[in-house]
């Protein structure tokens, strides 16, 4: 039969060039459909002599099978290619490591600073700040600390290096937050009610002392404030802070910047080696305080004949450890997450300003 090879070659080329299934279906109909080219040739077999039919029949059948097979193969290839495309587009690498999530917690000192700031804010205390590198005058002289006072010695205080030829007293890393009293009064005058939380530095390093720690200073100056107001403020503070009624006790003491001066103890007891604050008849020292010395008021430009008030200074790290039962300074300096979590600090556990303290 003539032309079968050309017919075949034509179809095989077009099949291999087909872009999609619709194109393949068109080719199938054109070749093998009822009126397709191959089918029409099949019909011609009837008119042939038996001799001719003997060769043309198998040739046509082979042609039909070949085209059919080529169509199926191309169809499968197109489906494979489509699947490949999809797999490429939707590729998901299950071996990728997970995305890291920030897993920090709030630092105990930050949390306690926020807590105490909120409590004092409720009593009308604003937050005042001062520099950590302080002048000799603000850190010592203005606070009536005499030149021979032990705090001014090299082994207690970090003194800053001086430029050659600079004869001024060297600056210091502030040894307490008390200089903020001077700065706040110089800036705002009286009456004033501020707290000043922040970092302080001393040459001290053992189980319970670090060369950098945190204090909060309190200062209230008005016309007729007394030690009674101081005691009330402190008892309000400790009761709100520890969440139980806490009694306080004054013990006579001495600070250059207050007169009279008192150390303040809070009520506590030990039950089976466990500290209980606000219970029992034990006492624990937590802060220094007193009536602001007239010389301190005068150094800050406040007239001591017109104004008087109280001040106090307390260690934040210390009361954080007491409140959360943290036995040593590791939680503060290593900031090991497991350690902090053990003591119940989490990123979500932030205090709110008004009464909503989280514990
Ligand atoms: N500045 C003192 C210290 O660092 C603490 C202190 C005591 C602060 C008595 C005061 C105060 O305001 O009145 O040890």
């Amino acid at each position: 039969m003539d032309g079968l090879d050309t017919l075949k070659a034509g179809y095989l080329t077009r099949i291999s060039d087909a872009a999609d299934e619709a194109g393949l279906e068109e080719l199938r109909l054109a070749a093998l459909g009822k009126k397709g080219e191959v089918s029409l040739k099949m019909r011609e077999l009837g008119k042939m002599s038996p001799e001719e039919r003997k060769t043309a029949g198998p040739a046509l059948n082979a042609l039909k099978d070949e085209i059919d097979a080529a169509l199926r193969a191309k169809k499968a290839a197109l489906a494979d290619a489509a699947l490949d495309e999809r797999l490429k587009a939707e590729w998901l690498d299950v071996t990728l490591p997970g995305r890291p999530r920030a897993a920090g917690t709030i630092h105990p000192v930050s949390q306690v600073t926020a807590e105490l700031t909120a409590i004092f804010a409720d009593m009308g205390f604003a937050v005042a700040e001062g520099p950590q590198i302080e002048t000799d005058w603000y850190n010592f002289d203005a606070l009536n600390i005499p030149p021979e006072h032990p705090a001014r010695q090299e082994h207690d205080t970090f003194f800053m290096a001086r430029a050659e030829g600079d004869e001024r007293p060297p600056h210091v890393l502030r040894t307490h937050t008390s200089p903020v009293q001077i700065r706040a009064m110089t800036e705002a005058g009286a009456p004033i009610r501020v707290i000043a939380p922040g970092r302080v530095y001393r040459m001290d390093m053992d189980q319970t002392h670090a060369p950098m720690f945190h204090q909060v200073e309190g200062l209230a100056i008005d016309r007729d404030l007394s030690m009674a107001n101081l005691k009330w403020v402190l008892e309000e503070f400790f009761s709100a802070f520890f969440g139980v009624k806490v009694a306080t006790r004054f013990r006579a003491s001495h600070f250059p910047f207050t007169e009279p001066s008192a150390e303040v103890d809070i009520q506590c007891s030990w039950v089976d080696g466990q500290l209980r604050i606000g219970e029992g008849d034990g006492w624990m020292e937590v802060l220094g305080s007193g009536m602001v010395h007239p010389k301190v008021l005068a150094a800050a430009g406040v007239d001591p004949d017109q104004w008087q008030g109280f001040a106090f200074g307390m260690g934040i790290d210390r009361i954080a450890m007491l409140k959360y039962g943290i036995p040593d300074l590791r939680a503060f300096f290593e900031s090991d997450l497991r350690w902090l979590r053990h003591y119940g600090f989490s990123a979500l556990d932030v205090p709110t300003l008004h009464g909503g303290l989280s514990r």
Side-chain angles (χ1 to χ4, degrees):
M1 208 177 206
D2 292 337
L4 286 192
D5 284 344
T6 326
L7 191 67
K8 179 169 109 180
Y11 271 104
L12 290 185
T13 308
R14 283 153 72 200
I15 287 170
S16 107
D17 290 348
D20 51 29
E21 272 198 46
L24 280 183
E25 180 59 11
E26 259 174 49
L27 290 171
R28 192 186 65 80
L29 289 172
L32 312 178
K34 259 190 192 155
K35 289 177 184 163
E37 285 189 86
V38 179
S39 308
L40 292 177
K41 291 221 184 274
M42 293 275 200
R43 267 186 229 160
E44 288 173 25
L45 288 174
K47 300 174 203 155
M48 290 180 186
S49 65
E51 261 326 285
E52 283 173 317
R53 207 180 295 139
K54 231 179 188 172
T55 51
L60 275 175
N61 269 329
L63 174 63
K64 184 184 152 215
D65 287 349
E66 252 182 287
I67 290 176
D68 190 53
L71 284 167
R72 284 171 199 280
K74 181 66 182 181
K75 190 171 171 177
L78 282 175
D80 272 0
L83 182 61
D84 270 359
E85 277 303 305
R86 238 185 90 191
L87 286 178
K88 251 183 238 162
E90 295 173 9
W91 193 71
L92 175 72
D93 186 353
V94 294
T95 68
L96 272 181
R99 291 189 185 88
R101 290 218 254 149
T105 74
I106 189 164
H107 194 279
V109 169
S110 303
Q111 176 161 320
V112 164
T113 301
E115 289 172 7
L116 65 85
T117 301
I119 296 169
F120 281 112
D122 276 348
M123 293 191 274
F125 286 79
V127 172
E129 285 180 317
Q132 293 173 46
I133 297 174
E134 191 52 283
T135 68
D136 180 74
W137 188 81
Y138 277 109
N139 195 80
F140 298 123
D141 298 284
L143 291 162
N144 193 36
I145 299 176
E148 68 280 4
H149 195 276
R152 304 188 78 143
Q153 284 166 20
E154 295 278 343
H155 62 261
D156 280 330
T157 300
F158 293 103
F159 290 90
M160 307 300 288
R162 267 175 305 185
E164 207 164 323
D166 187 346
E167 292 305 320
R168 295 173 304 171
H171 284 41
V172 298
L173 291 181
R174 69 179 180 194
T175 59
H176 50 180
T177 43
S178 302
V180 186
Q181 289 186 32
I182 308 297
R183 291 183 175 276
M185 284 190 282
T186 304
E187 219 169 87
I192 190 171
R193 233 185 276 180
V194 288
I195 57 164
R199 291 182 178 154
V200 300
Y201 302 84
R202 287 183 203 171
M203 258 190 235
D204 227 347
M205 190 66 190
D206 59 35
Q207 277 283 109
T208 53
H209 294 87
M212 186 281 287
F213 59 104
H214 302 79
Q215 284 187 335
V216 58
E217 195 76 12
L219 173 71
I221 304 294
D222 213 316
R223 297 286 179 189
D224 53 9
L225 290 177
S226 72
M227 297 282 282
N229 301 111
L230 168 62
K231 193 165 203 296
W232 182 86
V233 163
L234 292 175
E235 286 194 356
E236 281 293 301
F237 168 71
F238 284 119
S239 300
F241 181 72
F242 289 111
V244 289
K245 184 85 195 123
V246 181
T248 64
R249 176 175 86 166
F250 281 164
R251 262 181 307 103
S253 182
H254 170 77
F255 300 103
F257 27 90
T258 44
E259 181 58 36
S261 302
E263 275 172 325
V264 177
D265 300 339
I266 54 174
Q267 176 196 10
C268 68
S269 62
W270 278 267
V271 179
D272 300 330
Q274 276 242 320
L275 176 66
R276 304 267 180 86
I277 288 174
E279 282 178 25
D281 50 12
W283 297 98
M284 176 184 284
E285 188 209 318
V286 282
L287 61 86
S289 67
M291 297 302 292
V292 178
H293 197 290
K295 286 189 183 170
V296 172
L297 295 175
V302 170
D303 181 356
D305 294 330
Q306 301 284 322
W307 304 97
Q308 64 182 33
F310 59 80
F312 58 85
M314 164 167 71
I316 297 181
D317 313 68
R318 179 85 197 298
I319 60 167
M321 290 165 83
L322 290 178
K323 177 168 179 177
Y324 293 105
I326 301 171
D328 63 45
L329 291 170
R330 262 186 294 171
F332 295 164
F333 295 108
E334 292 178 9
S335 292
D336 185 315
L337 278 181
R338 289 164 301 181
W339 186 255
L340 289 171
R341 290 215 179 92
H342 175 76
Y343 287 102
F345 291 93
S346 79
L348 297 175
D349 203 10
V350 279
T352 59
L353 201 60
H354 289 290
L357 295 181
S358 49
R359 309 148 207 270

